[in-house]
Amino acid sequence: MTTISSTIANHIKPTDSIVILTGAGISKESGLDTFRCADGIWAKVDLEDVATPQGFARDPNLVHRFYNDRRRGLADPAIQPNAAHAALAELERRWKGELLLVTQNIDDLHERAGSKTLIHMHGELRKVFCVHCRTVETWDGDLSVHDVCPTCARKGGMRPDVVWFGEMPYQMDRIYRALGACDLFVSIGTSGNVYPAAGFVAEARGAGAHTVELNLEPSLGASHFAEAVNGPATEVVPAFVA
Ligand code: BV8
């Protein structure tokens, strides 16, 4: 069974550098939908309409409704970090080397589980920004075209602080630097459909890192990984980290 201990025994040192990438699959057992599973988000709504700048320009009310529904869902007390989120926070606490957690998810379950060195490369559901003054605000209620920017007081410019298709993900320089210097790359709960995240395993391998995929089933990029463990995140991630 592939674990951090077996990885240390065979591939890395305890003071080496780790980059972890997560996707929607790690939050599935907390009750949040994935995107491309049979009952996923993109089976219910066209991503062109709700996750592109063009969709937002065409119908901002539809996009606000889409993210307002998900923001309200995330605020449900039943939605809590699961054992996989907790295991990654525990690994970060005890790891002696560098550890960077990069998530494609816009939920806040990693930080609520205690992860600290975390990048939300696709933004955050509980953040919004003003297109006029670029100020980012934490926003827990509904957002609409009628909202006024608390900073510049202009109206109609507030949008979810989420990276849509065609937009540059956040902190890419920092992520590529970490991938170029890492000794272990672990991908968890992502289908490998969306770039540039889907290309991270190739970047890490190119830098000589050992690569592990922990996913319910083999992702589109499974063949790029040196090792893989398939199963639900709440089982395979704690077992890997043990
Ligand atoms: C960009 C918005 C320029 C937030 C999202 C090549 C290079 C660069 C770009 C492209 C390229 N080819 C195409 C592109 C363009 C595009 C793209 O990738 N298109 C795809 C569809 C082909 N990419 C972009 O536009 C990106 N921007 O490229 O800018 C650039 C270029 C280079 C370098 C820098 C910049 C912007 C992409 C971000 C778009 N925004 N979402 C939101 O509403 O949430 S993407 C969307 O998909 C989600 O955010 C999500 O994060 C992302 C990935 O999905 P996954 O997390 O993988 O989820 P999915 O459902 O697909 O899979 C879940 C997995 O979990 C499955 O494998 C399943 O088996 C597993 N699972 C299920 N249950 C469990 C489980 N695993 C474990 N346990 C379980 N219980």
Side-chain angles (χ1 to χ4, degrees), residues 6-179:
S6 71
T7 306
I8 290 170
N10 301 311
H11 304 284
I12 64 171
K13 300 187 294 299
T15 52
D16 274 352
S17 159
I18 303 177
V19 173
I20 300 168
L21 172 70
T22 62
I26 199 169
S27 297
K28 173 85 172 174
E29 291 160 272
S30 291
L32 294 179
D33 283 342
T34 61
F35 290 88
R36 295 169 186 84
C37 298
D39 57 346
I41 292 174
W42 298 149
K44 298 168 190 150
V45 64
D46 183 343
L47 69 85
E48 295 293 338
D49 292 338
V50 295
T52 63
Q54 296 79 4
F56 187 60
R58 204 167 39 245
D59 188 347
N61 294 313
L62 172 68
V63 175
H64 281 311
R65 274 199 306 278
F66 175 66
Y67 286 99
N68 290 343
D69 289 350
R70 290 172 67 191
R71 199 174 302 110
R72 255 185 258 124
L74 183 58
D76 181 337
I79 304 293
Q80 293 295 329
N82 62 50
H85 297 104
L88 294 185
E90 155 59 22
L91 176 62
E92 179 186 9
R93 272 193 294 275
R94 75 164 200 259
W95 189 251
K96 295 186 182 61
E98 296 279 314
L99 185 147
L100 174 65
L101 174 55
V102 180
T103 187
Q104 299 173 88
N105 300 341
I106 62 175
D107 64 57
D108 60 351
L109 298 181
H110 280 305
E111 40 273 63
R112 285 166 55 191
S115 286
K116 302 268 185 274
T117 312
L118 171 63
I119 293 178
H120 279 277
M121 67 178 288
H122 291 166
E124 297 177 66
L125 188 52
R126 295 182 55 228
K127 296 267 175 64
V128 301
F129 73 84
C130 170
V131 299
H132 304 301
C133 69
R134 313 298 299 180
T135 309
V136 175
E137 311 276 349
T138 297
W139 201 277
D140 283 321
D142 284 359
L143 187 65
S144 87
V145 294
H146 304 299
D147 281 300
V148 171
C149 174
T151 302
C152 72
R154 277 176 279 188
K155 201 169 146 184
M158 304 302 285
R159 59 159 276 186
D161 186 17
V162 162
V163 177
W164 288 327
F165 287 95
E167 295 185 325
M168 179 76 83
Y170 288 141
Q171 301 196 52
M172 289 309 298
D173 292 345
R174 183 175 163 207
I175 294 170
Y176 282 128
R177 272 199 309 278
L179 289 168

